[in-house]
Amino acid sequence: MKKLFAEFFGTFWLVFGGCGSAVFAAGVPDIGIGLLGVALAFGLTVLTMAYAVGHISGGHFNPAVSFGLLAGGRFSAKDLIPYIVAQCLGAIVAAGCLYTILNGAGAVDFSQPGAFATNFYGEAVYNGKAFSMGAAFLAEFLLTAFFLIVIMGATDRWANGKFAGIAIGLALTLIHLISIPITNTSVNPARSLSQAVFVGGNAMSQLWLFWVAPILGGIVGGLIYKFLLQRDADEIVD
């Protein structure tokens, strides 16, 4: 149960901090944090929780990470569903808190694509560019695959584990810097679900992509690290 609570609170913090920064602080004129600030906020949520509770649960906070670590031989299949449930519940509760705070400022308008930090494809939200479903799928797939490679490499027994949280947090920051203009960045099905539940409409109808692409990417990333990059015990590095 401690592992599940750790995943719950870790995912809660990721959504509350990352999506909260996008909802409340990104677009404030003159003093807003912008897309760079939102990207950094997401990275900081993972970095801080990796050190706070990562030693308890492994610090997944993301169903795609759990699937990827399972494929990479770092996670038990019997824990997969409980972890995903805990992650999704943590994300939804965090989104509920964000909604309650936002609603306290008056009527909430979710009519625009990307509202409430939801993910999207085929919508010209940033710079007048609307990326196709295929482009969005490829971006989410590749970024999640590389995220798993970073996670597995940084937490490998041959790596310096003290700095794993920093590497993983910075990787998530970089991922957001690349893909916020494309999809508002998911690479995390629980994060996508939590916001879409409150917005509905297109956010729900497009949600499938932000489950399928990250999970497939996570699995491929886990397999790549396991079979192409992971050192065997008897290997010697010059």
Side-chain angles (χ1 to χ4, degrees), residues 164-222:
I166 297 173
I168 295 167
L170 290 176
L172 190 60
T173 299
L174 175 59
I175 285 168
H176 280 78
L177 289 174
I178 295 168
S179 60
I180 287 178
I182 304 172
T183 62
N184 244 11
T185 309
S186 172
V187 300
N188 186 334
R191 166 262 189 274
S192 298
L193 171 67
S194 64
Q195 307 309 113
V197 163
F198 288 88
V199 174
N202 283 342
M204 284 297 292
S205 66
Q206 294 184 349
L207 183 62
W208 68 270
L209 185 145
F210 302 106
W211 274 79
V212 176
I215 288 174
L216 289 178
I219 291 171
V220 169

Side-chain angles (χ1 to χ4, degrees), residues 211-229:
W211 274 79
V212 176
I215 288 174
L216 289 178
I219 291 171
V220 169
L223 292 173
I224 287 173
Y225 192 87
K226 180 179 180 180
F227 291 109
L228 299 181
L229 300 173

Side-chain angles (χ1 to χ4, degrees), residues 10-212:
T11 314
F12 178 101
W13 189 237
L14 185 150
V15 170
F16 191 83
C19 294
S21 69
V23 170
F24 298 122
V28 180
D30 300 324
I31 61 171
I33 62 175
L35 298 189
L36 175 60
V38 173
L40 184 59
F42 271 99
L44 288 173
T45 62
V46 170
L47 188 155
T48 51
M49 274 296 165
Y51 288 109
V53 301
H55 58 285
I56 300 172
S57 67
H60 299 192
F61 319 140
N62 181 341
V65 171
S66 297
F67 270 100
L69 293 176
L70 175 63
R74 301 274 190 90
F75 188 54
S76 171
K78 67 180 177 62
D79 292 328
L80 180 64
I81 299 303
Y83 264 53
I84 292 174
V85 171
Q87 292 157 1
C88 289
L89 287 176
I92 291 171
V93 172
C97 292
L98 292 176
Y99 179 84
T100 301
I101 296 169
L102 185 63
N103 198 47
V108 178
D109 180 13
F110 288 157
S111 60
Q112 298 300 315
F116 202 50
T118 49
N119 299 116
F120 56 81
Y121 58 83
E123 300 285 356
V125 175
Y126 302 104
N127 300 322
K129 295 180 180 179
F131 292 90
S132 68
M133 179 181 69
F137 193 101
L138 181 60
E140 291 288 331
F141 174 86
L142 287 174
L143 291 170
T144 314
F146 274 91
F147 192 36
L148 260 294
I149 292 172
V150 171
I151 290 171
M152 293 191 67
T155 58
D156 196 297
R157 61 174 173 165
W158 301 104
N160 190 335
K162 293 180 180 179
F163 298 101
I166 297 173
I168 295 167
L170 290 176
L172 190 60
T173 299
L174 175 59
I175 285 168
H176 280 78
L177 289 174
I178 295 168
S179 60
I180 287 178
I182 304 172
T183 62
N184 244 11
T185 309
S186 172
V187 300
N188 186 334
R191 166 262 189 274
S192 298
L193 171 67
S194 64
Q195 307 309 113
V197 163
F198 288 88
V199 174
N202 283 342
M204 284 297 292
S205 66
Q206 294 184 349
L207 183 62
W208 68 270
L209 185 145
F210 302 106
W211 274 79
V212 176

